[in-house]
Amino acid sequence: MKQGQINADSDVQAPADVEAVLASRPKGERYTGLTAAQAAEAAAQNVLRGSVSPARVVDLATNFINALHGYAPNELPGAIKEIRDSIWREHFEEGVYRPHRTICGDIDHRSYIATLLSPSASPHILEALYNCLPGHLPEEHPSNLDQLRERSKELDDNVYDRVIRSNLGSILKSLRRGLLQGHEPLFLTEVIRNHARCFAVRTAHAKIDILRQHSIAPLGDRFCGFHDWALVGHSCLAALAAPAAIIRKLNEFEEAALCSADEDSSTLLEHLVDAKLLPPGPAGRAIISLAHVVEERLNTTQPEYGYHMGAALSIVQHKTAAVASLNRGDMKRDGSSRMDFSTLRIGLSTAEASSYVSLELLRAFAHIDLCIEAVLDNRPLPLQPVTAINRSQVAFHAVLLRTEGRPDKNAACIGPGSRNGSDELDRDRKSGRLPMASMLEKIAVPAIEREARHHLSIDAAAWFAS
């Protein structure tokens, strides 16, 4: 490509005439539901928020202009992939809970187990778990850990340390080989069983926390809209369509006003705010500051043939024309207006996915028993069995998990700050039945069940593999 030539090749097909597309729609379908001020704020936040530093933004903007003119290789595709990969990694962690490597033998077992069972240490959650979980975990298991710690001190062995660090399989192997004569086998086996159950509950809470991140920060630290609980339609319009519409409006901005204000950042910001192209305040000033740095960088290294900024802007507008034309009608037709990000990514709504985590938790309890038997019998660890689970248990455990983790705006709330002032979790209300029923119906589709299992499964065998 010759110097100064704009690279306009693109596989993105923009509408032939975006204005004609917008004008042809019924009046109610022309809008995104965002005000002009919100669109300006969205455009600014798309640049300012997230893990991409201001210096990196300047580098990418400078490279973009140079690359379009043939003066430098284009780094933008790689940068976009890097950002996209970081977003997806943040929200699809896999695996099961493991205690931190610094955990030591002088911990308060009652407090530690309480936080495994309820990260908020809610007494209401713990009471409900005491009544519905096997092993009376909040009360009896801490006491048994105290006893095991004292017994290990008397025998000067590392059995307690191996339990607390989740090396459960190695202890059972030692027990099978007759190497732990100082420990009562049934007691030690039950401690291991209940410790694995606590890990399973903590893993379930971690999965619920991922679902919460889907609901409140579906794009990680990137801007994703103005609502506390994000839906796909609003986030698409706020994070994509509205900023793209701002780019389209740049052509309408008076060039004379831009030139006259060019030397005065405050005046320039005032003009851009009046034109609804930038938000007032720190966000607007930050964008102006970045633009000046890019301008200085380009002026410092300006090549012989110079830059054609109008053509560069046209390229950006062409690339964003299709998304700039999106509106609420499009979101409704696509089914995105009421869709949450859990549905988009997994195929289950947040409440349904929480029910799936509850199902996995109950399956994990049964899997733990099978794993213990397998190790003691010197057999390979079994895969998680797909066993029939009591539906009322699945529904109630899902309510407990949602109450603790608040993954969606409809999750139950208890305690003094609750909407109804209740301190109780009443299993007779069966408030988790509807999302559980729809979850079971959806996972009958193999593709949805595979996604749910991949992201939300609880593999108890991981605690017995060592």
Short mmCIF file of all heavy atoms in Angstrom, two decimals, residues 139-196:
data_model
loop_
_atom_site.label_atom_id
_atom_site.label_comp_id
_atom_site.label_asym_id
_atom_site.label_seq_id
_atom_site.Cartn_x
_atom_site.Cartn_y
_atom_site.Cartn_z
N GLU A 139 -22.11 -27.12 63.25
CA GLU A 139 -21.88 -27.32 64.69
C GLU A 139 -20.93 -28.48 64.97
O GLU A 139 -19.92 -28.33 65.67
CB GLU A 139 -23.22 -27.57 65.39
CG GLU A 139 -24.19 -26.40 65.32
CD GLU A 139 -23.70 -25.21 66.12
OE1 GLU A 139 -22.91 -25.42 67.07
OE2 GLU A 139 -24.09 -24.08 65.79
N GLU A 140 -21.22 -29.65 64.44
CA GLU A 140 -20.47 -30.85 64.82
C GLU A 140 -19.11 -30.93 64.13
O GLU A 140 -18.13 -31.39 64.74
CB GLU A 140 -21.30 -32.10 64.51
CG GLU A 140 -22.54 -32.21 65.38
CD GLU A 140 -23.30 -33.50 65.15
OE1 GLU A 140 -22.76 -34.39 64.46
OE2 GLU A 140 -24.44 -33.61 65.63
N HIS A 141 -19.02 -30.51 62.88
CA HIS A 141 -17.75 -30.67 62.16
C HIS A 141 -16.62 -29.82 62.78
O HIS A 141 -15.50 -30.34 62.93
CB HIS A 141 -17.93 -30.34 60.68
CG HIS A 141 -16.71 -30.61 59.86
ND1 HIS A 141 -16.06 -31.83 59.85
CD2 HIS A 141 -16.00 -29.81 59.01
CE1 HIS A 141 -15.01 -31.77 59.05
NE2 HIS A 141 -14.94 -30.56 58.53
N PRO A 142 -16.84 -28.56 63.16
CA PRO A 142 -15.76 -27.82 63.83
C PRO A 142 -15.26 -28.51 65.10
O PRO A 142 -14.06 -28.55 65.37
CB PRO A 142 -16.40 -26.47 64.14
CG PRO A 142 -17.48 -26.32 63.12
CD PRO A 142 -18.02 -27.70 62.92
N SER A 143 -16.20 -29.07 65.87
CA SER A 143 -15.81 -29.77 67.09
C SER A 143 -14.97 -31.00 66.77
O SER A 143 -13.96 -31.29 67.45
CB SER A 143 -17.07 -30.19 67.86
OG SER A 143 -16.74 -30.95 69.00
N ASN A 144 -15.35 -31.72 65.71
CA ASN A 144 -14.57 -32.90 65.31
C ASN A 144 -13.18 -32.52 64.80
O ASN A 144 -12.20 -33.24 65.03
CB ASN A 144 -15.32 -33.69 64.24
CG ASN A 144 -16.54 -34.40 64.81
OD1 ASN A 144 -16.64 -34.63 66.01
ND2 ASN A 144 -17.48 -34.75 63.93
N LEU A 145 -13.07 -31.37 64.12
CA LEU A 145 -11.76 -30.90 63.68
C LEU A 145 -10.89 -30.54 64.87
O LEU A 145 -9.67 -30.77 64.87
CB LEU A 145 -11.91 -29.70 62.75
CG LEU A 145 -12.40 -29.99 61.32
CD1 LEU A 145 -12.62 -28.69 60.57
CD2 LEU A 145 -11.41 -30.87 60.56
N ASP A 146 -11.50 -29.96 65.89
CA ASP A 146 -10.74 -29.66 67.13
C ASP A 146 -10.16 -30.95 67.70
O ASP A 146 -8.97 -31.00 68.09
CB ASP A 146 -11.65 -29.01 68.17
CG ASP A 146 -12.04 -27.58 67.81
OD1 ASP A 146 -11.35 -26.98 66.98
OD2 ASP A 146 -13.03 -27.09 68.38
N GLN A 147 -10.99 -31.99 67.76
CA GLN A 147 -10.53 -33.27 68.30
C GLN A 147 -9.41 -33.87 67.46
O GLN A 147 -8.42 -34.37 68.00
CB GLN A 147 -11.69 -34.26 68.37
CG GLN A 147 -12.78 -33.90 69.37
CD GLN A 147 -13.86 -34.96 69.41
OE1 GLN A 147 -13.57 -36.16 69.47
NE2 GLN A 147 -15.12 -34.54 69.37
N LEU A 148 -9.57 -33.79 66.13
CA LEU A 148 -8.55 -34.35 65.25
C LEU A 148 -7.23 -33.60 65.39
O LEU A 148 -6.15 -34.23 65.41
CB LEU A 148 -9.03 -34.29 63.79
CG LEU A 148 -8.04 -34.83 62.75
CD1 LEU A 148 -7.76 -36.31 62.98
CD2 LEU A 148 -8.58 -34.60 61.34
N ARG A 149 -7.29 -32.30 65.54
CA ARG A 149 -6.07 -31.51 65.71
C ARG A 149 -5.33 -31.93 66.98
O ARG A 149 -4.10 -32.11 66.97
CB ARG A 149 -6.38 -30.02 65.73
CG ARG A 149 -5.16 -29.13 65.91
CD ARG A 149 -5.48 -27.68 65.61
NE ARG A 149 -6.62 -27.18 66.37
CZ ARG A 149 -7.24 -26.01 66.12
NH1 ARG A 149 -6.81 -25.24 65.13
NH2 ARG A 149 -8.25 -25.63 66.85
N GLU A 150 -6.08 -32.09 68.06
CA GLU A 150 -5.45 -32.48 69.32
C GLU A 150 -4.86 -33.90 69.23
O GLU A 150 -3.77 -34.15 69.74
CB GLU A 150 -6.48 -32.42 70.45
CG GLU A 150 -6.91 -31.01 70.81
CD GLU A 150 -5.72 -30.12 71.13
OE1 GLU A 150 -4.86 -30.55 71.93
OE2 GLU A 150 -5.64 -29.01 70.59
N ARG A 151 -5.59 -34.79 68.53
CA ARG A 151 -5.09 -36.15 68.39
C ARG A 151 -3.81 -36.19 67.55
O ARG A 151 -2.86 -36.91 67.87
CB ARG A 151 -6.16 -37.03 67.75
CG ARG A 151 -5.81 -38.51 67.67
CD ARG A 151 -5.53 -39.07 69.04
NE ARG A 151 -5.25 -40.50 68.99
CZ ARG A 151 -4.63 -41.17 69.96
NH1 ARG A 151 -4.21 -40.52 71.05
NH2 ARG A 151 -4.42 -42.46 69.86
N SER A 152 -3.75 -35.38 66.50
CA SER A 152 -2.55 -35.33 65.66
C SER A 152 -1.36 -34.77 66.44
O SER A 152 -0.22 -35.20 66.23
CB SER A 152 -2.82 -34.47 64.41
OG SER A 152 -3.41 -35.24 63.40
N LYS A 153 -1.64 -33.81 67.33
CA LYS A 153 -0.56 -33.28 68.16
C LYS A 153 -0.02 -34.35 69.10
O LYS A 153 1.19 -34.48 69.31
CB LYS A 153 -1.06 -32.07 68.96
CG LYS A 153 -1.26 -30.81 68.13
CD LYS A 153 -1.74 -29.68 69.01
CE LYS A 153 -1.95 -28.40 68.19
NZ LYS A 153 -2.46 -27.29 69.05
N GLU A 154 -0.95 -35.13 69.68
CA GLU A 154 -0.53 -36.19 70.59
C GLU A 154 0.33 -37.23 69.88
O GLU A 154 1.33 -37.72 70.41
CB GLU A 154 -1.76 -36.88 71.19
CG GLU A 154 -2.56 -36.00 72.14
CD GLU A 154 -3.85 -36.67 72.56
OE1 GLU A 154 -4.05 -37.86 72.19
OE2 GLU A 154 -4.67 -36.03 73.26
N LEU A 155 -0.05 -37.56 68.63
CA LEU A 155 0.66 -38.59 67.87
C LEU A 155 1.82 -38.02 67.08
O LEU A 155 2.60 -38.79 66.50
CB LEU A 155 -0.31 -39.29 66.91
CG LEU A 155 -1.48 -40.04 67.56
CD1 LEU A 155 -2.46 -40.53 66.51
CD2 LEU A 155 -0.94 -41.23 68.37
N ASP A 156 1.90 -36.69 67.06
CA ASP A 156 2.95 -36.00 66.30
C ASP A 156 2.96 -36.45 64.84
O ASP A 156 4.00 -36.80 64.26
CB ASP A 156 4.33 -36.28 66.93
CG ASP A 156 5.41 -35.33 66.36
OD1 ASP A 156 5.03 -34.23 65.90
OD2 ASP A 156 6.59 -35.70 66.38
N ASP A 157 1.77 -36.47 64.22
CA ASP A 157 1.67 -36.82 62.80
C ASP A 157 1.07 -35.65 62.01
O ASP A 157 0.76 -34.59 62.58
CB ASP A 157 0.85 -38.10 62.60
CG ASP A 157 -0.62 -37.95 63.03
OD1 ASP A 157 -1.12 -36.81 63.05
OD2 ASP A 157 -1.25 -38.97 63.34
N ASN A 158 0.90 -35.83 60.71
CA ASN A 158 0.41 -34.75 59.85
C ASN A 158 -0.99 -35.01 59.32
O ASN A 158 -1.39 -34.44 58.31
CB ASN A 158 1.37 -34.54 58.67
CG ASN A 158 1.45 -35.76 57.75
OD1 ASN A 158 0.84 -36.79 58.02
ND2 ASN A 158 2.19 -35.63 56.66
N VAL A 159 -1.73 -35.88 59.99
CA VAL A 159 -3.07 -36.22 59.50
C VAL A 159 -3.97 -34.99 59.50
O VAL A 159 -4.66 -34.71 58.51
CB VAL A 159 -3.68 -37.35 60.35
CG1 VAL A 159 -5.16 -37.54 59.99
CG2 VAL A 159 -2.91 -38.64 60.15
N TYR A 160 -3.97 -34.25 60.57
CA TYR A 160 -4.80 -33.05 60.62
C TYR A 160 -4.41 -32.06 59.53
O TYR A 160 -5.27 -31.50 58.84
CB TYR A 160 -4.69 -32.37 61.99
CG TYR A 160 -5.28 -30.97 62.00
CD1 TYR A 160 -6.64 -30.76 62.08
CD2 TYR A 160 -4.44 -29.85 61.87
CE1 TYR A 160 -7.18 -29.48 62.06
CE2 TYR A 160 -4.96 -28.58 61.84
CZ TYR A 160 -6.33 -28.39 61.93
OH TYR A 160 -6.86 -27.12 61.89
N ASP A 161 -3.10 -31.83 59.36
CA ASP A 161 -2.65 -30.90 58.33
C ASP A 161 -3.11 -31.33 56.95
O ASP A 161 -3.49 -30.50 56.13
CB ASP A 161 -1.12 -30.79 58.35
CG ASP A 161 -0.61 -30.02 59.55
OD1 ASP A 161 -1.38 -29.18 60.07
OD2 ASP A 161 0.54 -30.24 59.96
N ARG A 162 -3.08 -32.63 56.69
CA ARG A 162 -3.52 -33.11 55.38
C ARG A 162 -5.02 -32.92 55.19
O ARG A 162 -5.48 -32.63 54.08
CB ARG A 162 -3.14 -34.59 55.21
CG ARG A 162 -1.65 -34.78 54.90
CD ARG A 162 -1.38 -36.20 54.43
NE ARG A 162 -1.34 -37.15 55.53
CZ ARG A 162 -1.31 -38.47 55.36
NH1 ARG A 162 -1.31 -38.99 54.14
NH2 ARG A 162 -1.25 -39.27 56.41
N VAL A 163 -5.79 -33.06 56.26
CA VAL A 163 -7.23 -32.81 56.15
C VAL A 163 -7.49 -31.34 55.85
O VAL A 163 -8.22 -31.00 54.92
CB VAL A 163 -7.96 -33.21 57.45
CG1 VAL A 163 -9.40 -32.69 57.45
CG2 VAL A 163 -7.96 -34.73 57.61
N ILE A 164 -6.88 -30.46 56.62
CA ILE A 164 -7.17 -29.04 56.51
C ILE A 164 -6.68 -28.47 55.17
O ILE A 164 -7.20 -27.48 54.67
CB ILE A 164 -6.56 -28.27 57.70
CG1 ILE A 164 -7.38 -27.02 58.02
CG2 ILE A 164 -5.12 -27.92 57.47
CD1 ILE A 164 -8.73 -27.31 58.61
N ARG A 165 -5.67 -29.13 54.57
CA ARG A 165 -5.15 -28.69 53.27
C ARG A 165 -5.79 -29.44 52.11
O ARG A 165 -5.34 -29.32 50.97
CB ARG A 165 -3.62 -28.85 53.24
CG ARG A 165 -2.90 -27.96 54.23
CD ARG A 165 -1.40 -28.20 54.20
NE ARG A 165 -0.72 -27.46 55.24
CZ ARG A 165 -0.33 -26.19 55.14
NH1 ARG A 165 -0.56 -25.52 54.02
NH2 ARG A 165 0.27 -25.59 56.15
N SER A 166 -6.78 -30.24 52.38
CA SER A 166 -7.61 -30.94 51.38
C SER A 166 -6.91 -32.11 50.71
O SER A 166 -7.33 -32.53 49.63
CB SER A 166 -8.15 -29.98 50.31
OG SER A 166 -7.21 -29.73 49.29
N ASN A 167 -5.88 -32.68 51.34
CA ASN A 167 -5.25 -33.89 50.80
C ASN A 167 -6.02 -35.12 51.31
O ASN A 167 -5.47 -35.99 52.00
CB ASN A 167 -3.78 -33.96 51.22
CG ASN A 167 -2.98 -32.80 50.66
OD1 ASN A 167 -3.23 -32.35 49.56
ND2 ASN A 167 -2.03 -32.32 51.44
N LEU A 168 -7.28 -35.19 50.97
CA LEU A 168 -8.16 -36.18 51.57
C LEU A 168 -7.88 -37.59 51.06
O LEU A 168 -7.96 -38.56 51.81
CB LEU A 168 -9.62 -35.81 51.31
CG LEU A 168 -10.01 -34.38 51.74
CD1 LEU A 168 -11.50 -34.14 51.49
CD2 LEU A 168 -9.66 -34.13 53.20
N GLY A 169 -7.57 -37.70 49.77
CA GLY A 169 -7.31 -39.02 49.20
C GLY A 169 -6.11 -39.69 49.83
O GLY A 169 -6.12 -40.91 50.09
N SER A 170 -5.06 -38.90 50.11
CA SER A 170 -3.84 -39.49 50.69
C SER A 170 -4.11 -40.04 52.08
O SER A 170 -3.52 -41.06 52.47
CB SER A 170 -2.73 -38.45 50.73
OG SER A 170 -3.03 -37.42 51.67
N ILE A 171 -4.97 -39.40 52.84
CA ILE A 171 -5.27 -39.90 54.19
C ILE A 171 -6.02 -41.22 54.11
O ILE A 171 -5.74 -42.17 54.85
CB ILE A 171 -6.12 -38.87 54.97
CG1 ILE A 171 -5.42 -37.51 54.98
CG2 ILE A 171 -6.37 -39.35 56.39
CD1 ILE A 171 -6.28 -36.41 55.54
N LEU A 172 -7.00 -41.29 53.20
CA LEU A 172 -7.76 -42.53 53.05
C LEU A 172 -6.86 -43.67 52.58
O LEU A 172 -7.03 -44.82 53.01
CB LEU A 172 -8.90 -42.31 52.06
CG LEU A 172 -10.02 -41.37 52.52
CD1 LEU A 172 -11.00 -41.11 51.39
CD2 LEU A 172 -10.76 -41.96 53.73
N LYS A 173 -5.89 -43.38 51.72
CA LYS A 173 -4.95 -44.43 51.28
C LYS A 173 -4.11 -44.92 52.46
O LYS A 173 -3.87 -46.13 52.62
CB LYS A 173 -4.05 -43.88 50.18
CG LYS A 173 -4.77 -43.63 48.86
CD LYS A 173 -3.84 -42.96 47.84
CE LYS A 173 -4.60 -42.63 46.56
NZ LYS A 173 -3.76 -41.91 45.57
N SER A 174 -3.67 -43.97 53.29
CA SER A 174 -2.90 -44.37 54.48
C SER A 174 -3.75 -45.20 55.42
O SER A 174 -3.29 -46.18 56.02
CB SER A 174 -2.37 -43.13 55.20
OG SER A 174 -1.49 -42.39 54.38
N LEU A 175 -5.02 -44.82 55.55
CA LEU A 175 -5.94 -45.55 56.41
C LEU A 175 -6.14 -46.97 55.88
O LEU A 175 -6.14 -47.94 56.65
CB LEU A 175 -7.27 -44.81 56.48
CG LEU A 175 -8.27 -45.22 57.56
CD1 LEU A 175 -7.68 -45.03 58.94
CD2 LEU A 175 -9.55 -44.41 57.41
N ARG A 176 -6.27 -47.08 54.55
CA ARG A 176 -6.46 -48.40 53.92
C ARG A 176 -5.25 -49.31 54.15
O ARG A 176 -5.38 -50.52 54.33
CB ARG A 176 -6.71 -48.21 52.42
CG ARG A 176 -7.02 -49.49 51.67
CD ARG A 176 -7.10 -49.23 50.18
NE ARG A 176 -5.79 -48.97 49.60
CZ ARG A 176 -5.53 -48.05 48.69
NH1 ARG A 176 -6.48 -47.24 48.25
NH2 ARG A 176 -4.31 -47.90 48.19
N ARG A 177 -4.07 -48.70 54.15
CA ARG A 177 -2.82 -49.49 54.30
C ARG A 177 -2.48 -49.77 55.76
O ARG A 177 -1.44 -50.38 56.05
CB ARG A 177 -1.67 -48.74 53.64
CG ARG A 177 -1.83 -48.60 52.13
CD ARG A 177 -0.87 -47.57 51.57
NE ARG A 177 -1.05 -47.39 50.14
CZ ARG A 177 -0.60 -46.34 49.46
NH1 ARG A 177 0.06 -45.36 50.11
NH2 ARG A 177 -0.80 -46.24 48.16
N GLY A 178 -3.33 -49.31 56.67
CA GLY A 178 -3.08 -49.57 58.09
C GLY A 178 -1.98 -48.73 58.69
O GLY A 178 -1.35 -49.14 59.67
N LEU A 179 -1.72 -47.54 58.13
CA LEU A 179 -0.62 -46.70 58.59
C LEU A 179 -1.04 -45.67 59.63
O LEU A 179 -0.19 -44.92 60.12
CB LEU A 179 0.00 -45.97 57.38
CG LEU A 179 0.53 -46.86 56.26
CD1 LEU A 179 1.06 -46.02 55.11
CD2 LEU A 179 1.60 -47.80 56.79
N LEU A 180 -2.31 -45.65 59.99
CA LEU A 180 -2.80 -44.63 60.93
C LEU A 180 -3.42 -45.31 62.15
O LEU A 180 -4.58 -45.10 62.49
CB LEU A 180 -3.83 -43.72 60.24
CG LEU A 180 -3.34 -43.01 58.97
CD1 LEU A 180 -4.47 -42.18 58.34
CD2 LEU A 180 -2.14 -42.11 59.27
N GLN A 181 -2.62 -46.11 62.81
CA GLN A 181 -3.13 -46.91 63.92
C GLN A 181 -3.64 -46.06 65.08
O GLN A 181 -4.51 -46.50 65.84
CB GLN A 181 -2.01 -47.84 64.43
CG GLN A 181 -1.56 -48.88 63.42
CD GLN A 181 -2.67 -49.87 63.08
OE1 GLN A 181 -3.53 -50.17 63.90
NE2 GLN A 181 -2.65 -50.38 61.85
N GLY A 182 -3.14 -44.85 65.22
CA GLY A 182 -3.56 -44.03 66.35
C GLY A 182 -4.89 -43.33 66.16
O GLY A 182 -5.40 -42.69 67.09
N HIS A 183 -5.49 -43.45 64.98
CA HIS A 183 -6.75 -42.77 64.69
C HIS A 183 -7.88 -43.78 64.53
O HIS A 183 -7.69 -44.85 63.93
CB HIS A 183 -6.63 -41.94 63.42
CG HIS A 183 -5.69 -40.79 63.53
ND1 HIS A 183 -6.06 -39.55 64.01
CD2 HIS A 183 -4.35 -40.70 63.23
CE1 HIS A 183 -5.02 -38.74 63.99
NE2 HIS A 183 -3.97 -39.41 63.53
N GLU A 184 -9.03 -43.44 65.07
CA GLU A 184 -10.20 -44.31 64.94
C GLU A 184 -10.73 -44.19 63.51
O GLU A 184 -11.11 -43.09 63.07
CB GLU A 184 -11.26 -43.87 65.95
CG GLU A 184 -12.26 -44.96 66.32
CD GLU A 184 -13.27 -45.20 65.22
OE1 GLU A 184 -13.86 -44.21 64.76
OE2 GLU A 184 -13.47 -46.35 64.82
N PRO A 185 -10.76 -45.27 62.73
CA PRO A 185 -11.08 -45.20 61.30
C PRO A 185 -12.43 -44.56 60.99
O PRO A 185 -12.53 -43.74 60.08
CB PRO A 185 -11.02 -46.66 60.85
CG PRO A 185 -10.11 -47.32 61.81
CD PRO A 185 -10.35 -46.63 63.11
N LEU A 186 -13.47 -44.95 61.72
CA LEU A 186 -14.80 -44.42 61.41
C LEU A 186 -14.86 -42.92 61.67
O LEU A 186 -15.46 -42.16 60.89
CB LEU A 186 -15.86 -45.16 62.23
CG LEU A 186 -16.10 -46.63 61.87
CD1 LEU A 186 -17.17 -47.23 62.77
CD2 LEU A 186 -16.52 -46.75 60.40
N PHE A 187 -14.25 -42.48 62.76
CA PHE A 187 -14.24 -41.05 63.08
C PHE A 187 -13.48 -40.28 62.01
O PHE A 187 -13.95 -39.25 61.51
CB PHE A 187 -13.59 -40.83 64.45
CG PHE A 187 -13.37 -39.38 64.79
CD1 PHE A 187 -14.41 -38.59 65.25
CD2 PHE A 187 -12.12 -38.79 64.62
CE1 PHE A 187 -14.21 -37.24 65.54
CE2 PHE A 187 -11.90 -37.46 64.93
CZ PHE A 187 -12.95 -36.68 65.39
N LEU A 188 -12.29 -40.78 61.64
CA LEU A 188 -11.47 -40.07 60.65
C LEU A 188 -12.17 -40.04 59.30
O LEU A 188 -12.16 -39.01 58.61
CB LEU A 188 -10.11 -40.77 60.52
CG LEU A 188 -9.09 -40.10 59.60
CD1 LEU A 188 -8.85 -38.65 59.99
CD2 LEU A 188 -7.78 -40.88 59.60
N THR A 189 -12.80 -41.12 58.92
CA THR A 189 -13.52 -41.16 57.64
C THR A 189 -14.67 -40.16 57.64
O THR A 189 -14.91 -39.48 56.63
CB THR A 189 -14.07 -42.58 57.37
OG1 THR A 189 -12.99 -43.50 57.34
CG2 THR A 189 -14.81 -42.63 56.04
N GLU A 190 -15.36 -40.05 58.77
CA GLU A 190 -16.48 -39.11 58.83
C GLU A 190 -16.00 -37.66 58.79
O GLU A 190 -16.64 -36.80 58.18
CB GLU A 190 -17.31 -39.36 60.09
CG GLU A 190 -18.69 -38.70 60.07
CD GLU A 190 -19.56 -39.20 58.93
OE1 GLU A 190 -19.27 -40.28 58.35
OE2 GLU A 190 -20.55 -38.51 58.60
N VAL A 191 -14.86 -37.37 59.41
CA VAL A 191 -14.28 -36.03 59.33
C VAL A 191 -13.96 -35.69 57.88
O VAL A 191 -14.25 -34.60 57.39
CB VAL A 191 -13.02 -35.92 60.21
CG1 VAL A 191 -12.27 -34.63 59.90
CG2 VAL A 191 -13.39 -35.95 61.68
N ILE A 192 -13.35 -36.64 57.17
CA ILE A 192 -13.01 -36.42 55.77
C ILE A 192 -14.28 -36.20 54.94
O ILE A 192 -14.35 -35.31 54.08
CB ILE A 192 -12.19 -37.62 55.24
CG1 ILE A 192 -10.81 -37.63 55.88
CG2 ILE A 192 -12.10 -37.59 53.72
CD1 ILE A 192 -10.00 -38.87 55.57
N ARG A 193 -15.28 -37.01 55.18
CA ARG A 193 -16.54 -36.90 54.44
C ARG A 193 -17.15 -35.51 54.64
O ARG A 193 -17.55 -34.84 53.68
CB ARG A 193 -17.52 -37.98 54.91
CG ARG A 193 -18.80 -38.07 54.06
CD ARG A 193 -19.82 -39.01 54.71
NE ARG A 193 -19.21 -40.21 55.27
CZ ARG A 193 -18.93 -41.30 54.56
NH1 ARG A 193 -19.22 -41.33 53.27
NH2 ARG A 193 -18.39 -42.35 55.17
N ASN A 194 -17.21 -35.06 55.87
CA ASN A 194 -17.84 -33.77 56.16
C ASN A 194 -16.99 -32.60 55.69
O ASN A 194 -17.52 -31.56 55.30
CB ASN A 194 -18.13 -33.65 57.66
CG ASN A 194 -19.32 -34.50 58.07
OD1 ASN A 194 -20.22 -34.76 57.26
ND2 ASN A 194 -19.33 -34.95 59.31
N HIS A 195 -15.67 -32.77 55.71
CA HIS A 195 -14.81 -31.70 55.20
C HIS A 195 -15.01 -31.54 53.69
O HIS A 195 -15.08 -30.42 53.17
CB HIS A 195 -13.35 -32.00 55.52
CG HIS A 195 -12.54 -30.76 55.75
ND1 HIS A 195 -12.89 -29.77 56.65
CD2 HIS A 195 -11.37 -30.32 55.18
CE1 HIS A 195 -11.99 -28.80 56.63
NE2 HIS A 195 -11.06 -29.12 55.73
N ALA A 196 -15.11 -32.65 52.99
CA ALA A 196 -15.39 -32.59 51.55
C ALA A 196 -16.75 -31.97 51.29
O ALA A 196 -16.93 -31.22 50.31
CB ALA A 196 -15.31 -34.00 50.95
#
